[in-house]
Amino acid sequence: MNILVTGGAGYIGSHAVQRLLRDGHTVVAIDDLSLGHREAIDALTDHAGDRLVFEKASVGETTRLETLMGDHDIDTVFHFAAFASVGESVAEPLRYYRNNIAEGIGLLEACNHAGVGRFVFSSSCATYGEPADEHIPIRENCPKNPVSPYGQTKLDFERILEAWAEARRNADEPVAVTMLRYFNVAGCDRTGILGEDHDPETHLIPVALEAALGKRDGMAIFGTDYPTPDGTAVRDYVHVEDLIDAHVRAMEHMQRNGASTPKAYNIGIGNGHSVREVIDSVRRVSSVDFPVRDEPRRSGDPARLYADSNLVTRDLGWKAQITDLDAIVDSAWQWMQRHPNGYEAT
Ligand code: UDP
């Protein structure tokens, strides 16, 4: 198949490009390179021959994307490009709405013009906000009350996709949409080509690994008074390769089944690890003890978020394969040791 991957030079998008190329597909990757890394694409180009095309472009460039889709006979879009930092979205909501919503609409307009109706969207468990205890583990029908502009943009774009799909269906145009609500995506490609390189880094596993590497003076635990067994927040860490496998399964399912109403699925391993458990894992994997200090909760951080992924198992046959926390951490540790300065030094 011929797939347009938006955000193809980013952490998750580049892993999607890698998997699609490995499966023999043709990929057009776009990225405005505001957060993505050209080096990630370069690393993949060596293995791709002419099956990978990269264009520095933003998802809002409708005319350009329409041309790209037409020229490369695109049949499916994987839409990863987005701003994804909760704290930043609180400080700069307009930037988030413009990028995640307005630009995304530009992409859907390009799809309309080019006649592309198969779409996989990177949504988020942030759409659920802070679920009440009775909704843990979280199922797809859990009430959605995002507590950040970031989570709201993801929920809003789901609604936009539903309206878009209905309009296309009513106009007898082919359409199939899958929305994947990611829990905490972690780890790296285990062949060591791709990694996670954010600036600044705020995510727990890479922050702890940077502390182990001596790149930072220890780290903070945000909140030790949560109603959880050890007082720290619990999250569902899903390996990036498993996450991408869900996208591939969604694409194949939509190809087999033709037009369908949009479906949303939770993508997580189905159980949670506390911040302290993650830090212990990083210490075990790296064999480095680093200082950890207790700090107050980060605003908007729920106590527990982990997925009930039974729906995606039932419909797409997807289940996380890499469920051992140390294995997830180790994949990230391997890359970070070889790339202590991220892609910069590759
Ligand atoms: N966290 C922490 N110290 C850090 C970074 C994160 O204690 O330096 C906590 C954070 O408060 C949350 C969990 O680790 O409870 C996962 O945070 P992350 O930013 O990785 O993902 P999020 O769940 O916010 O999407």
Side-chain angles (χ1 to χ4, degrees):
M1 285 190 258
N2 300 331
I3 300 109
L4 177 77
V5 177
T6 77
Y11 164 48
I12 301 174
S14 61
H15 282 83
V17 173
Q18 180 184 48
R19 167 68 192 268
L20 291 168
L21 291 172
R22 197 181 286 156
D23 286 0
H25 299 295
T26 294
V27 177
V28 176
I30 64 161
D31 200 299
D32 67 3
L33 298 180
S34 61
L35 300 170
H37 300 276
R38 176 76 223 209
E39 295 86 346
I41 294 292
D42 293 342
L44 294 171
T45 306
D46 298 342
H47 306 264
D50 58 1
R51 285 188 298 114
L52 173 60
V53 173
F54 176 74
E55 294 261 337
K56 182 174 182 298
S58 118
V59 289
E61 292 182 66
T62 303
T63 312
R64 196 161 157 213
L65 296 195
E66 177 192 347
T67 307
L68 264 179
M69 289 188 208
D71 286 352
H72 297 280
D73 221 1
I74 294 297
D75 47 62
T76 307
V77 173
F78 281 9
H79 180 32
F80 296 100
F83 292 150
S85 166
V86 169
E88 198 179 67
S89 79
V90 175
E92 301 175 82
L94 301 185
R95 212 160 69 81
Y96 271 65
Y97 280 101
R98 178 174 296 284
N99 192 49
N100 295 2
I101 300 289
E103 299 271 305
I105 289 171
L107 171 65
L108 293 180
E109 287 169 341
C111 288
N112 275 348
H113 298 154
V116 176
R118 198 179 301 139
F119 201 97
V120 185
F121 174 54
S122 309
S123 190
S124 168
C125 67
T127 53
Y128 298 112
E130 302 189 34
D133 281 353
E134 71 260 31
H135 292 299
I136 305 286
I138 300 170
R139 291 169 52 184
E140 286 77 0
N141 60 4
C142 171
K144 282 151 210 81
N145 299 302
V147 290
S148 69
Y150 165 67
Q152 190 66 50
T153 63
K154 289 292 173 184
L155 185 58
D156 289 348
F157 205 73
E158 286 194 8
R159 298 283 173 271
I160 290 166
L161 282 169
E162 284 162 0
W164 176 69
E166 189 178 339
R168 283 187 66 90
R169 223 177 14 256
N170 291 340
D172 278 334
E173 286 156 350
V175 67
V177 173
T178 306
M179 308 178 287
L180 301 178
R181 296 188 185 133
Y182 307 171
F183 281 67
N184 287 55
V185 187
C188 301
D189 132 57
R190 286 164 300 164
T191 64
I193 294 174
L194 300 173
E196 181 172 11
D197 181 0
H198 296 122
D199 185 20
E201 187 53 78
T202 61
H203 291 113
L204 177 61
I205 292 177
V207 163
L209 290 172
E210 285 182 6
L213 208 56
K215 280 186 72 182
R216 42 175 97 215
D217 234 1
M219 62 170 296
I221 297 180
F222 298 133
T224 52
D225 58 351
Y226 283 104
T228 56
D230 69 14
T232 66
V234 169
R235 296 287 180 274
D236 184 330
Y237 295 91
V238 57
H239 194 272
V240 64
E241 290 180 301
D242 274 333
L243 173 82
I244 298 307
D245 185 57
H247 291 69
V248 171
R249 284 171 184 267
M251 174 176 77
E252 291 170 353
H253 182 84
M254 291 190 291
Q255 189 205 18
R256 274 196 308 274
N257 292 277
S260 58
T261 49
K263 293 285 284 188
Y265 297 110
N266 287 339
I267 305 297
I269 66 171
N271 62 59
H273 294 287
S274 73
V275 174
R276 284 200 202 285
E277 284 172 348
V278 170
I279 291 172
D280 286 347
S281 170
V282 169
R283 285 178 165 148
R284 253 191 323 271
V285 166
S286 66
S287 307
V288 180
D289 199 3
F290 47 88
V292 171
R293 55 188 190 280
D294 294 351
E295 288 197 8
R297 296 181 185 190
R298 224 168 41 176
S299 79
D301 270 352
R304 292 185 299 154
L305 287 176
Y306 55 94
D308 177 331
S309 287
N310 285 318
L311 191 63
V312 66
T313 305
R314 191 197 72 190
D315 285 4
L316 304 184
W318 181 88
K319 207 170 175 14
Q321 300 300 309
I322 310 165
T323 54
D324 175 52
L325 182 59
D326 286 8
I328 294 175
V329 167
D330 186 58
S331 68
W333 176 236
Q334 296 305 325
W335 193 80
M336 196 178 278
Q337 281 178 296
R338 262 177 277 129
H339 303 83
N341 298 313
Y343 281 107
E344 199 180 289
T346 25

